[in-house]
Amino acid sequence: MSEAIKKAIEEGRTILGLEFGSTRIKAVLVDESHQSVAQGSWDWENSLVDHIWTYSLEDIRTGLQGCYKNLSDEVRDRYGVTLTKLAALGFSGMMHGYMPFDAQGELLVPFRTWRNTMTEEACRQLTPLFGFNIPQRWSIAHLYQAILNGEEHVKEIAYLTTLAGYIHWLLSGETKTDGARVLGVGEASGMFPIDSAVCDYDGEMADQFDALVEDRHFGWKLREILPKVLPAGVCAGTLTAAGARILDPSGNLQPGVPMCPPEGDAGTGMVATDSVRVRTGNISAGTSIFSMVVTEKALSKVHEEIDMVTTPDGSPVAMVHCNNCTSDLNAWVNLFEEFAGKFGMKPDKNELYGTLYREALSADPDCGGLVAYNYFAGEPVTGLNGGRPMFVRTPDARFTLANFMRSHLYSAMATLKIGNDILLKEEQVKVDSLTGHGGLFKTPVVGQQLMAAAMNAPVTVMDTASEGGAWGMAVLAAFMAEKEEGDTLPDYLSRRIFAGQTGTTIQPKPEDVAGFDAFIEKYKNTLAAEKAAVEGLG
């Protein structure tokens, strides 16, 4: 097998997917059977600069090169060959945000990530204008908020894109301005609403926006500055010589690699969990948490808690996105690790997580009166423009380690449950399967069992779940390179990628469902205290 993989690498028959997550950049190289044969990673962290969550262009380039080098080093160490040729390539990144460039290709303001909750006024005006929910992290919300703020840079915008779109543009052009200005439809649906019937931006809404800002005399129309929308399966340009040098400064990687449309991490998550067919859904749980359900029809009305986006092939998706998930959990685990260190113990990190998570399974189903809030950042679903992690209990609560851990695991899922209760109970959206992936599900059983309770639905974790979004991006690149005439993305995934795949499914336990429902009532009733903490701890 090793010799076959080595030959495939030497002959340029492998495919690379690379994804920029919030805390980790990951690259996955797959062979012709779509199995991961090498991986690379690079840890990074956003910075809070002038009250804005951001990553610098230098961070982006350094992380891109560091991750690719880590991958190519593994290829050399495992197979004794140098990675020089690829059959296809794709990039994805954390969803949406705001990266405006001028006509010379210069970034006009620091990258504003999805994590910023600074566009509330823009959303309040755009949502009723369009009759369509516009979330705070969407690019159009950031653009209009900048207009409302009177920011000078807006009149200089020649191109507006996302992190994934920027990297694709950077690597598909010889200069700062001549790369492919494109975006996969799934990621584009978080820049501006998409009309799935034509797989493009909604023309009527774009005209409404242009009319809204006409008196500003910017010299551009909205569709002129947005990326071109492309569905999965088309070629979106090639890796140029300049792009190859950026990705691989050693000069080993050859240019000319076909590149598929860049996508967001939401789209790659759908692909990685085989959740692009109607009535399927997935839950991604890491630094942020979100669920995506491919719907049969439009929702009955606009819900600010639910975003309407698309699959990478343009089908409508109801998305509940929450800015906060595992950050507070990680902080508590780190505190327990520090405590153990005071006694001379150095537990393995995976074992520490597993031990603490498993303890939660012996807790009271309602956490015994303990309530936790995991808000590191603002949370639009619950109306918070800032985050203050908080733990609260009554004096007579059952304050045990098991209940403590369960309350924090519940907290990581609580806001998602609030949004999905609207989708599944009020809108009566039908879901045949939910698949979980991300760090919250790394410890077997625990995350699945508690998420099944939150959703009151079975949750599956597939054997490929650990591969994550970078693998999903590699699969999208493979779909571009390998699809046959008439192939749809759902059919391709079923036939070529997931045929014979196995996983584990956990059904919700009635006592856990009732316990989570009791917890969520306390959670919602105590939100006023969390809001007071945001205001009082300025």
Side-chain angles (χ1 to χ4, degrees), residues 435-465:
T435 304
H437 61 111
L440 190 67
F441 300 102
K442 190 173 182 180
T443 297
V445 178
V446 181
Q448 269 181 279
Q449 181 174 322
L450 299 186
M451 187 63 76
M455 301 293 108
N456 194 17
V459 174
T460 298
V461 172
M462 303 173 73
D463 292 341
T464 55

Side-chain angles (χ1 to χ4, degrees), residues 188-490:
S189 69
M191 292 197 78
F192 193 81
I194 292 291
D195 180 352
S196 289
V198 295
C199 201
D200 204 350
Y201 303 114
D202 188 292
E204 182 179 350
M205 294 183 195
D207 290 341
Q208 289 173 322
F209 183 84
D210 286 336
L212 179 66
V213 301
E214 186 175 11
D215 61 347
R216 308 278 182 155
H217 306 292
F218 289 128
W220 49 256
K221 298 290 187 182
L222 182 63
R223 279 167 286 196
E224 295 171 354
I225 63 173
L226 293 177
K228 181 181 178 181
V229 179
L230 295 176
V234 304
C235 183
T238 59
L239 181 69
T240 62
R245 287 193 299 273
I246 291 171
L247 183 58
D248 181 17
S250 72
N252 291 320
L253 182 62
Q254 298 176 13
V257 182
M259 298 167 66
C260 68
E263 266 296 347
D265 53 1
T268 60
M270 283 187 275
V271 170
T273 55
D274 194 18
S275 303
V276 298
R277 199 180 293 276
V278 169
R279 291 179 62 146
T280 64
N282 79 93
I283 298 169
S284 174
T287 304
S288 64
I289 186 169
F290 55 86
S291 65
M292 309 192 71
V293 175
V294 188
T295 61
E296 296 176 282
K297 59 183 180 179
L299 303 186
S300 65
K301 61 181 180 179
V302 174
H303 299 277
E304 292 187 2
E305 300 88 350
I306 300 172
D307 313 338
M308 292 307 299
V309 291
T310 80
T311 62
D313 60 344
S315 297
V317 172
M319 178 182 194
V320 178
H321 178 275
C322 312
N323 285 351
N324 302 276
C325 185
T326 58
S327 294
D328 196 36
L329 265 170
N330 295 341
W332 282 108
V333 172
N334 289 339
L335 186 70
F336 284 120
E337 182 181 38
E338 183 181 351
F339 173 79
K342 297 299 181 182
F343 290 87
M345 297 180 287
K346 294 183 179 180
D348 174 78
K349 201 62 171 276
N350 289 331
E351 184 179 352
L352 179 61
Y353 270 97
T355 299
L356 291 170
Y357 277 32
R358 286 188 292 271
E359 186 70 16
L361 295 182
S362 63
D364 297 319
D366 66 349
C367 303
L370 278 55
V371 178
Y373 293 90
N374 66 331
Y375 295 155
F376 262 54
E379 194 57 82
V381 171
T382 47
L384 290 162
N385 59 12
R388 303 293 183 271
M390 187 172 74
F391 172 70
V392 63
R393 63 189 173 99
T394 58
D396 61 345
R398 285 175 42 81
F399 190 32
T400 65
L401 178 61
N403 281 340
F404 180 82
M405 288 307 303
R406 193 172 185 119
S407 72
H408 280 85
L409 283 160
Y410 273 7
S411 175
M413 308 171 189
T415 312
L416 185 76
K417 176 176 172 58
I418 290 170
N420 272 284
D421 280 351
I422 297 170
L423 186 67
L424 303 178
K425 296 179 181 179
E426 182 179 336
E427 287 285 349
Q428 295 292 302
V429 169
K430 304 301 182 186
V431 186
D432 294 332
S433 63
L434 280 173
T435 304
H437 61 111
L440 190 67
F441 300 102
K442 190 173 182 180
T443 297
V445 178
V446 181
Q448 269 181 279
Q449 181 174 322
L450 299 186
M451 187 63 76
M455 301 293 108
N456 194 17
V459 174
T460 298
V461 172
M462 303 173 73
D463 292 341
T464 55
S466 62
E467 304 290 5
W471 180 74
M473 196 65 229
V475 169
L476 282 172
F479 177 56
M480 173 198 69
E482 300 171 354
K483 70 181 179 69
E484 300 172 4
E485 187 174 350
D487 246 352
T488 66
L489 181 59

Side-chain angles (χ1 to χ4, degrees), residues 1-296:
M1 179 63 72
S2 178
E3 282 301 314
I5 294 171
K6 176 180 177 180
K7 187 174 182 180
I9 294 170
E10 288 177 322
E11 294 178 357
R13 291 185 278 115
T14 55
I15 292 172
L16 176 64
L18 196 149
E19 180 161 283
F20 281 69
S22 299
T23 59
R24 194 174 184 223
I25 305 168
K26 186 175 179 181
V28 171
L29 191 71
V30 301
D31 62 12
E32 290 163 299
S33 63
H34 312 104
Q35 299 299 306
S36 171
V37 298
Q39 297 186 8
S41 65
W42 184 268
D43 292 334
W44 70 338
E45 191 61 65
N46 54 191
S47 301
L48 189 62
V49 180
D50 296 328
H51 306 290
I52 293 174
W53 292 106
T54 188
Y55 302 83
S56 70
L57 293 185
E58 182 181 357
D59 289 339
I60 294 169
R61 184 175 292 220
T62 299
L64 175 68
Q65 294 173 346
C67 182
Y68 180 83
K69 183 178 186 303
N70 189 243
L71 173 102
S72 58
D73 286 348
E74 181 172 299
V75 168
R76 184 194 63 235
D77 293 344
R78 287 183 65 180
Y79 306 108
V81 295
T82 299
L83 185 59
T84 60
K85 294 182 286 186
L86 294 167
L89 173 64
F91 295 97
S92 58
M94 63 191 83
M95 60 187 74
H96 323 327
Y98 184 71
M99 297 189 78
F101 294 85
D102 64 16
Q104 287 71 49
E106 299 293 337
L107 185 64
L108 291 166
V109 295
F111 172 31
R112 297 172 182 176
T113 77
W114 61 270
R115 198 172 189 178
N116 291 287
T117 51
M118 55 194 286
T119 64
E120 183 177 4
E121 180 58 30
C123 296
R124 187 179 292 121
Q125 294 188 31
L126 292 178
T127 293
L129 174 70
F130 297 151
F132 189 99
N133 183 42
I134 302 297
Q136 288 208 44
R137 68 184 181 280
W138 281 23
S139 306
I140 190 62
H142 280 282
L143 174 61
Y144 190 52
Q145 190 66 53
I147 293 171
L148 294 176
N149 294 345
E151 296 186 41
E152 285 294 316
H153 79 270
V154 175
K155 64 179 182 294
E156 303 296 332
I157 296 176
Y159 181 43
L160 176 61
T161 191
T162 68
L163 178 58
Y166 166 68
I167 295 163
H168 185 97
W169 181 44
L170 181 70
L171 298 188
S172 61
E174 296 291 351
T175 71
K176 281 187 175 181
T177 59
D178 71 347
R181 299 186 179 192
V182 300
L183 208 57
V185 62
E187 175 71 336
S189 69
M191 292 197 78
F192 193 81
I194 292 291
D195 180 352
S196 289
V198 295
C199 201
D200 204 350
Y201 303 114
D202 188 292
E204 182 179 350
M205 294 183 195
D207 290 341
Q208 289 173 322
F209 183 84
D210 286 336
L212 179 66
V213 301
E214 186 175 11
D215 61 347
R216 308 278 182 155
H217 306 292
F218 289 128
W220 49 256
K221 298 290 187 182
L222 182 63
R223 279 167 286 196
E224 295 171 354
I225 63 173
L226 293 177
K228 181 181 178 181
V229 179
L230 295 176
V234 304
C235 183
T238 59
L239 181 69
T240 62
R245 287 193 299 273
I246 291 171
L247 183 58
D248 181 17
S250 72
N252 291 320
L253 182 62
Q254 298 176 13
V257 182
M259 298 167 66
C260 68
E263 266 296 347
D265 53 1
T268 60
M270 283 187 275
V271 170
T273 55
D274 194 18
S275 303
V276 298
R277 199 180 293 276
V278 169
R279 291 179 62 146
T280 64
N282 79 93
I283 298 169
S284 174
T287 304
S288 64
I289 186 169
F290 55 86
S291 65
M292 309 192 71
V293 175
V294 188
T295 61
E296 296 176 282

